[in-house]
Amino acid sequence: MVYLDNNATTPVHPEVYAAMEPFLRDGFGNPSAPYGLGRKAREAVEMAREQVAALIGASPSEIVFTSGGTESIATALHSALSTFPERRRIVTTAVEHSATEKPCQHLERLGFAVDRIPVDTGGRLDLDALKSALDSSPPALVSTIWANNETGVISPIDAIAATLEDGQALWHSDAVQAVGKIPVRVDEVPVHLLSISGHKLHAPKGIGALFVRRQIRFHPLLLGGGQESNRRSGTENVPGIVALGRAASLAAEHASARVQALRDRFESVLIESVEGTAVNGDPGHRLPNTSNLVFPGLDAEALLILLDEMGVACSPGSACSTGARHPSPVLTAMGYHEAHAKSSLRFSFSSMNNDADVDEAIRAVTRAAAKVREVRRPDSGWVTQRP
Ligand code: PLP
């Protein structure tokens, strides 16, 4: 199978698996236990904390392990709202993942105000709108996605930082898709909170981290046994944490240039060979692994089914949405009409793909596009037979 859905989830890297496996077997101790087995688990957790911190330029004490991106984001929102109970407003963007958007909708139902900063057709954030949103009273939190899961468009992080310079608001970034693919450095960007998810960088599902800058006040979402220095209660997922640590070290070694070369060849051949194919999202500011393509006039769902039959896995949008047939909210926010969104597919590569994958995927997409074009021709019978 050619797996090109790495923004949905990645395969566990063999070295990551090898690192975590002992902690699923003999190394099963509880890191809080006061004997050798527990101490070994504790040491492994602390080493992983150093590895994750090193990847993003944080101090190990600023890393809190969580169950994944969704929990990290929920924790960031909860902490900020608890820090500033009088500020009943969040500023975010129109192209967030549902892990941010859905909690924001919930907050709106509870009476909070949510400002969603719009983007243009390239998915680029409207910085003037962000500035105006911050000109009034400071919100409890500004939450901006670092790189979009559907289009791969990278937010203008330095410009956002400059806009937030007065330090009035806490700033969180959902860096779930960015960490491991492009440099994300909290020693260079003054973000206060930053969310990471293990399964997007070749660790397993169910492990993530929240960066919490040392200077800020923090309010945990999960209370209980006081693990993670009272910042996230619950017995630590030691194998997952070890896996995330190893994956972070591997990500630091990865050359994203190789992944980008695979993606670029895939795109340029398809743009040449499949009529009308175009890239969704600002091509100059994208993750090196993501290719969101529109095939005008072709039904993405039909393409996806044919590609699946041919052994190529890709995505019609965010894999975290329910699978219901509605146009991608991200492409809609970029101003595309429904038909455009329903003709778009996302292909996302990883360091575990190779040139042969690209060749096979190009062949499959070209054939699938020709097939779908054929059945939608008015004289093909297929269309006319439908009620
Ligand atoms: N944020 C973004 C941008 C994502 O792509 C995802 C997952 O697709 C999440 C958050 C949620 O992360 P997790 O699946 O680890 O909860």
Side-chain angles (χ1 to χ4, degrees):
M1 185 186 65
V2 178
Y3 183 73
L4 298 182
D5 200 15
N6 288 280
N7 285 9
T9 197
T10 54
V12 174
H13 193 285
E15 288 185 39
V16 170
Y17 184 77
M20 77 184 287
E21 207 219 43
F23 296 93
L24 291 164
R25 291 175 179 271
D26 302 342
F28 60 85
N30 186 324
S32 302
Y35 41 80
L37 196 62
R39 275 195 300 278
K40 261 201 146 132
R42 163 69 44 215
E43 277 163 22
V45 166
E46 295 318 317
M47 191 175 110
R49 203 184 303 284
E50 283 172 25
Q51 291 168 318
V52 173
L55 179 64
I56 61 165
S59 289
S61 63
E62 293 173 313
I63 300 298
V64 178
F65 289 114
T66 66
S67 66
T70 303
E71 183 191 321
S72 295
I73 294 165
T75 305
L77 285 164
H78 170 83
S79 181
L81 292 169
S82 308
T83 300
F84 299 114
E86 72 290 358
R87 300 186 186 177
R88 295 179 61 81
R89 189 165 73 98
I90 302 279
V91 172
T92 185
T93 81
V95 288
E96 295 298 310
H97 186 270
S98 50
T100 302
E101 174 54 26
K102 288 284 164 68
C104 283
Q105 288 174 13
H106 178 68
L107 287 168
E108 284 177 312
R109 287 193 290 275
L110 297 179
F112 288 79
V114 177
D115 288 354
R116 294 173 182 80
I117 307 303
V119 296
D120 67 12
T121 49
R124 289 166 292 242
L125 196 67
D126 182 340
L127 289 163
D128 290 333
L130 176 64
K131 204 168 166 344
S132 325
L134 296 172
D135 276 347
S136 51
S137 58
L141 186 72
V142 176
S143 190
T144 55
I145 195 163
W146 195 295
N148 189 267
N149 46 300
E150 292 194 34
T151 59
V153 172
I154 300 169
S155 297
I157 295 296
D158 291 338
I160 297 172
T163 310
L164 295 171
E165 218 167 33
D166 66 2
Q168 291 257 46
L170 283 174
W171 179 21
H172 163 255
S173 185
D174 168 0
V176 161
Q177 291 291 346
V179 169
K181 296 182 182 132
I182 53 171
V184 171
R185 302 289 306 185
V186 297
D187 47 354
E188 290 167 13
V189 174
V191 67
H192 299 109
L193 297 147
L194 182 130
S195 293
I196 300 173
S197 171
H199 73 105
K200 309 293 184 181
L201 62 148
H202 303 289
K205 294 146 195 69
I207 185 66
L210 179 66
F211 159 76
V212 181
R213 194 171 290 284
R214 194 180 293 124
Q215 292 84 354
I216 68 162
R217 275 185 284 151
F218 180 75
H219 297 265
L221 178 64
L222 300 185
L223 303 170
Q227 289 87 348
E228 293 295 280
S229 306
N230 282 317
R231 292 174 299 179
R232 198 275 187 180
S233 285
T235 304
E236 297 89 335
N237 170 3
V238 180
I241 290 171
V242 168
L244 179 56
R246 186 73 190 104
S249 302
L250 286 175
E253 294 164 17
H254 283 157
S256 64
R258 195 184 73 82
V259 177
Q260 177 159 355
L262 296 174
R263 190 275 312 265
D264 287 352
R265 185 163 73 83
F266 171 80
E267 262 182 7
S268 56
V269 174
L270 286 181
I271 288 168
E272 276 290 301
S273 59
V274 180
E275 197 192 324
T277 304
V279 172
N280 289 319
D282 178 4
H285 296 94
R286 272 187 311 159
L287 291 173
N289 81 315
T290 307
S291 179
N292 193 314
L293 297 178
V294 59
F295 303 96
L298 303 186
D299 180 38
E301 201 76 10
L303 282 174
L304 188 104
I305 292 165
L306 287 172
L307 288 172
D308 184 25
E309 281 169 10
M310 296 179 200
V312 175
C314 64
S315 169
S318 175
C320 297
S321 64
T322 52
R325 194 110 210 281
H326 47 72
S328 143
V330 170
L331 295 179
T332 306
M334 287 160 68
Y336 289 116
H337 47 75
E338 190 168 334
H340 183 105
K342 286 186 168 174
S343 293
S344 297
L345 284 178
R346 179 190 71 187
F347 302 87
S348 45
F349 295 76
S350 87
S351 58
M352 292 172 79
N353 289 119
N354 57 31
D355 273 314
D357 291 342
V358 174
D359 293 337
E360 204 173 322
I362 289 170
R363 269 196 305 273
V365 176
T366 312
R367 274 176 47 213
K371 228 172 170 174
V372 174
R373 212 180 290 285
E374 176 62 26
V375 292
R376 62 174 283 282
R377 276 193 5 227
D379 59 352
S380 69
W382 184 86
V383 171
T384 49
Q385 277 166 26
R386 289 168 71 86

